[in-house]
Amino acid sequence: MSLWCGRSAPFAPSPEVEGIPAMSRTAPLREFRRSTEAGLRRSAHAVAVRLERLGPRHPAQVIVLGFGAAILVGTVLLMLPSSKVGEGGATFLEALFTATSAVCVTGLIVVDTPVYWTGAGQVIILGLIQVGGFGIMAFASLLGVLLARRMGLRSRISAAAETKSVGFGDVRSVLLGVLRITLVVESVTAVLLAARFGLHYNHNLGEAVWLGIFHAVSAFNNAGFALFSDNLIGFAGDPWICLPICAAVIVGGLGFPVLFELRRHFRYPRKWHMTTKLVLSGTVVLLVLGTVFITLVEWSNPATLGALRPQERILAGFFQSTMTRTAGFNSVDFAQLDPVTLLAMDVLMFIGGGPAGTAGGLKITTFGVLFFILYTEITGGTAVNVFGKRLPRSVHRQAISIVLLAVGLVTTATMFLMLTTDFGLDRILFEVVSAFATVGLSTGITAGIPPAGQVVLILVMFAGRLGPVTLATALALRSKPLYYEYPKERPLIG
């Protein structure tokens, strides 16, 4: 054995040491490396399994956590001093309420948006509205994709055949479709509004563009936030402001599946899915009935429609009927509305708009299912048929469950506010239904509700926005085949 101690070469051991071949010496090293790598892989797998168990196990949980995180981030941003006019930042409750209202695209406020929040704060609110609206549309549509992936191949084919409005296979195309529709509708609405604000109301270019963008995004996402202290009362008789906003609200309230199918089969109504037929027919009926009722009841009320010209009264009646579809803009003083009008609006708000869109409420499809169940019972039918198709009994159960939970939530919140405030039942019920349906219309009592009541409204907004979607998905995913049945027994009904 020889050693080289020179500077020009490093230490080089002999290929063999004490008669042991080099191959035999490296074998333990390779074995050690293999065992180490295997141990690391097992540890990483164990950590991944534990994280998976700690994380959300249900798609609905992902959505709830996502919206909760968005509200938390929005609350922190709105508490920054740069978001509030004057010294200091907003209080935690003010920021939390505003962030929740924006992310849940509701529109209820406890402070005056154009006066209390700076330009930076208004931009944050606008961003929260856009994130909440796009997230609702995208995730509600993608719930169908997640649902299909939990099924077998035969069930996935059946689901794709039944829900023709949503492509279950291509998540990317669904998201891009939602994004494309959002940008097109908001851009067109923003251009129309900006032109009107700039040319007719003498706002400079920057102000006109900002007002157009803010109200276009707020309208399409059915948020109802406005940059005027009286909301849109000053534009009650201006069709160039009211009609573009109504159009954006209606389009956003139809829901992405309906818009997607109309784009593909607009000229072929026979190919429309049951969801599209229910949403379109229900939207037209509710808009017409709401416009006629509100206009007739408030026609001679000098504090609301009575102060306007005849054609402006019709426009204002249509505008408010549209806004009860969970938008939240108002062109009249709701504190002066007749109690009968408030009750009718409670019903319209509770029904809401189309599924998988920016609208809230029970959704027109849920109400339609209940209507046809009632019609079948009254006419003595044996199966619930809608537009020539039979409804599965699981859909009956889902619709009834959602309605009962919604009624329970609204009733509980209303009773709590009646115990903690001095406002009347009509105003409190209107406020709670507006929060649950994420409408944002108010008779002006939101800021006067004590902190405990505002926390209740925050919870109602959050549950109202996420409840119907997440509950319907949870019920669909938890359905399991039963291999036995209990004997039947009929209780006395009615």
Side-chain angles (χ1 to χ4, degrees):
M1 182 169 116
S2 61
L3 296 177
W4 186 284
C5 297
R7 293 174 176 263
S8 60
F11 175 79
S14 172
E16 296 185 3
V17 179
E18 297 181 358
I20 300 178
M23 186 69 67
S24 300
R25 293 198 318 272
T26 57
L29 295 177
R30 286 198 301 269
E31 186 65 26
F32 175 75
R33 183 181 300 172
R34 289 196 194 100
S35 60
T36 303
E37 292 177 353
L40 291 175
R41 283 195 297 268
R42 287 193 298 268
S43 300
H45 177 71
V47 171
V49 170
R50 290 192 177 185
L51 289 177
E52 184 177 357
R53 291 177 179 176
L54 292 176
R57 301 180 181 181
H58 193 282
Q61 295 176 349
V62 178
I63 297 178
V64 172
L65 293 176
F67 278 91
I71 292 173
L72 180 60
V73 172
T75 301
V76 173
L77 292 177
L78 290 176
M79 291 179 65
L80 298 176
S82 59
S83 300
K84 176 182 171 296
V85 175
E87 297 181 359
T91 64
F92 174 75
L93 184 58
E94 292 171 344
L96 177 62
F97 193 99
T98 305
T100 304
S101 182
V103 173
C104 296
V105 291
T106 303
L108 289 176
I109 56 175
V110 291
V111 293
D112 191 355
T113 302
V115 176
Y116 190 85
W117 303 108
T118 62
Q122 295 172 12
V123 170
I124 293 172
I125 293 174
L126 183 65
L128 295 176
I129 293 173
Q130 188 68 84
V131 169
F134 178 79
I136 291 164
M137 296 181 71
F139 283 115
S141 301
L142 292 178
L143 283 177
V145 180
L146 298 173
L147 175 61
R149 289 180 175 176
R150 292 285 293 272
M151 297 178 178
L153 178 59
R154 182 177 301 177
S155 299
R156 292 172 68 175
I157 294 175
S158 300
E162 291 178 0
T163 55
K164 300 177 182 178
S165 57
V166 178
F168 283 92
D170 192 355
V171 177
R172 182 172 178 271
S173 65
V174 173
L175 286 174
L176 290 178
V178 174
L179 180 61
R180 190 179 301 112
I181 292 174
T182 300
L183 293 178
V184 169
V185 176
E186 291 180 354
S187 299
V188 172
T189 307
V191 169
L192 295 175
L193 294 178
R196 186 62 173 176
F197 284 127
L199 298 177
H200 186 75
Y201 294 98
N202 299 323
H203 290 281
N204 60 51
L205 180 61
E207 291 178 350
V209 171
W210 171 239
L211 291 174
I213 293 176
F214 189 95
H215 291 91
V217 173
S218 183
F220 177 72
N221 292 284
N222 284 209
F225 280 87
L227 295 182
F228 302 96
S229 296
D230 61 352
N231 208 280
L232 298 180
I233 293 179
F235 309 98
D238 190 349
W240 295 100
I241 296 294
C242 294
L243 292 182
I245 290 179
C246 285
V249 168
I250 293 173
V251 172
L254 291 177
F256 171 72
V258 174
L259 297 177
F260 190 75
E261 186 166 66
L262 289 178
R263 187 178 62 179
R264 292 185 301 173
H265 305 300
F266 181 77
R267 297 183 180 180
Y268 307 99
R270 292 184 179 180
K271 295 184 178 181
W272 291 354
H273 187 259
M274 183 189 296
T275 299
T276 302
K277 295 177 181 179
L278 282 174
V279 171
L280 292 180
S281 58
T283 298
V284 173
V285 170
L286 293 175
L287 281 176
V288 172
L289 292 180
T291 300
V292 172
F293 186 88
I294 295 172
T295 304
L296 290 179
V297 174
E298 298 295 329
W299 184 269
S300 58
N301 186 347
T304 55
L305 301 186
L308 303 174
R309 292 178 295 181
Q311 64 271 21
E312 294 177 347
R313 298 179 191 181
I314 298 176
L315 175 63
F318 172 73
F319 185 84
Q320 294 310 154
S321 176
T322 304
M323 294 309 114
T324 57
R325 314 312 311 289
T326 79
F329 293 106
N330 64 285
S331 61
V332 297
D333 186 0
F334 271 59
Q336 305 299 325
L337 289 175
D338 191 281
V340 176
T341 304
L342 293 177
L343 182 59
M345 288 184 171
D346 288 338
V347 176
L348 293 174
M349 291 189 298
F350 195 69
I351 295 174
T358 57
L362 292 178
K363 304 298 186 296
I364 294 177
T365 48
T366 305
F367 179 77
V369 167
L370 294 177
F371 172 81
F372 282 103
I373 291 175
L374 178 62
Y375 177 79
T376 302
E377 290 295 327
I378 293 176
T379 57
T382 57
V384 180
N385 300 316
V386 181
F387 299 118
K389 299 291 183 64
R390 181 171 57 88
L391 285 179
R393 293 189 179 274
S394 59
V395 176
H396 307 181
R397 297 193 303 269
Q398 292 172 15
I400 294 173
S401 299
I402 291 174
V403 171
L404 291 178
L405 288 175
V407 171
L409 177 63
V410 170
T411 302
T412 303
T414 301
M415 294 173 65
F416 180 84
L417 291 183
M418 290 181 67
L419 293 174
T420 56
T421 66
D422 297 328
F423 299 110
L425 174 61
D426 53 349
R427 290 195 172 193
I428 292 178
L429 180 62
F430 188 88
E431 196 83 8
V432 173
V433 173
S434 179
F436 166 77
T438 66
V439 179
L441 294 174
S442 176
T443 58
I445 68 172
T446 312
I449 295 177
Q454 293 181 5
V455 172
V456 169
L457 290 180
I458 290 173
L459 297 176
V460 171
M461 286 190 289
F462 191 78
R465 168 50 65 192
L466 299 176
V469 175
T470 54
L471 177 61
T473 307
L475 292 174
L477 287 173
R478 290 179 181 176
S479 59
K480 298 179 181 180
L482 292 178
Y483 301 101
Y484 63 91
E485 290 185 351
Y486 292 104
K488 291 183 180 181
E489 185 175 354
R490 183 182 179 86
L492 296 178
I493 302 296

